[in-house]
Amino acid sequence: MAINETRVTLVGTVASEVALSTVGTGYPRAVFRMVSVERRYDRDLGRFVDGDRLFVSVTCWRGLAENVRASLGRGDPVLVTGKLRLHELRTDDVRRTHLSVEASAVGPNLLWCRAAPRRGESGEPGPDVGSEPVSGAAGRGISESAGAAPTLPDVLAPRTEEQSVSVAEEALPVPF
C-alpha cells in the first residue's frame, strides 16, 4: 500500500462476464465491469427510482483473479474494495476519462444472495455445498436467498422487473 493512494469500496452488480487471461509475467489477471446504481425514493411517484449510475472496470491479479472468475458472473451482486485509478486518454481535442479499481478483495453482496465459501487451492473446486447458483452456472457457490425475502430498509428496496438495471449497452469494454 502506498501513501495517499485512494482506496474505495464499491457496492453494485457485475455488468460483464469476467475475462481471465495470463499476462506476460505468467500471472493470471481477471477483468470485469461493474455498475453501481443509486436508488432513491421519489415522493411524487411514491416509489424508488434509479439515480446516477457509476460504471467501473475492476482488475484482479493472481489467486484473486482465478477465484473471481470461478465465483462471479454477469448480474451477480458484488462488493469490491481496492485502489481507485483514473485513466485519461487524449485524442485530437477530445479528452476521455475512465475509472478503474485494482481490487484487493472481491465478494458477493450477501444482502442479495447467499454464498458458501469453499477453501482450498486456487482454482480447485471445494466441497459440494449443494446450493443453486444465481445465474445457473453450476458450481459457482452463489445462491438466491431461500424462503421469505429479507426485511430491507426502505433505501434498499429491491427493483421491480420494469425497474431492473440494463447493463448490456454500458458493459462494453473500454478501448484503453
Side-chain angles (χ1 to χ4, degrees):
M1 187 181 306
I3 296 173
N4 293 331
E5 69 181 16
T6 305
R7 309 229 11 114
V8 295
T9 298
L10 301 172
V11 178
T13 304
V14 178
S16 70
E17 293 302 323
V18 178
L20 183 65
S21 62
T22 302
V23 296
T25 58
Y27 294 119
R29 175 182 68 183
V31 178
F32 65 94
R33 299 273 288 162
M34 72 173 288
V35 60
S36 181
V37 182
E38 173 189 13
R39 297 282 292 159
R40 60 181 171 76
Y41 187 77
D42 186 325
R43 290 182 191 261
D44 295 336
L45 295 175
R47 62 181 172 91
F48 283 88
V49 296
D50 287 348
D52 294 332
R53 295 179 186 200
L54 174 66
F55 282 86
V56 177
S57 293
V58 179
T59 303
C60 309
W61 294 96
R62 300 181 179 168
L64 177 61
E66 293 171 341
N67 291 337
V68 164
R69 174 65 181 108
S71 302
L72 296 174
R74 185 177 178 162
D76 288 340
V78 68
L79 298 169
V80 173
T81 187
K83 186 181 347 179
L84 182 65
R85 295 183 178 256
L86 178 67
H87 306 275
E88 292 187 30
L89 176 65
R90 293 177 191 237
T91 55
D92 299 325
D93 291 334
V94 179
R95 181 180 137 201
R96 297 176 58 185
T97 59
H98 168 70
L99 284 176
S100 70
V101 173
E102 186 175 325
S104 57
V106 177
N109 183 348
L110 297 180
L111 180 63
W112 302 107
C113 67
R114 290 185 181 174
R118 290 185 263 173
R119 292 167 186 82
E121 298 278 328
S122 182
E124 285 185 14
D128 184 12
V129 295
S131 62
E132 293 294 321
V134 169
S135 66
R140 290 208 350 239
I142 301 173
S143 65
E144 295 176 0
S145 298
T151 304
L152 303 173
D154 287 342
V155 176
L156 300 174
R159 296 172 179 85
T160 62
E161 195 166 309
E162 64 261 0
Q163 294 172 325
S164 64
V165 177
S166 171
V167 295
E169 295 163 8
E170 293 94 349
L172 297 174
V174 176
F176 53 92

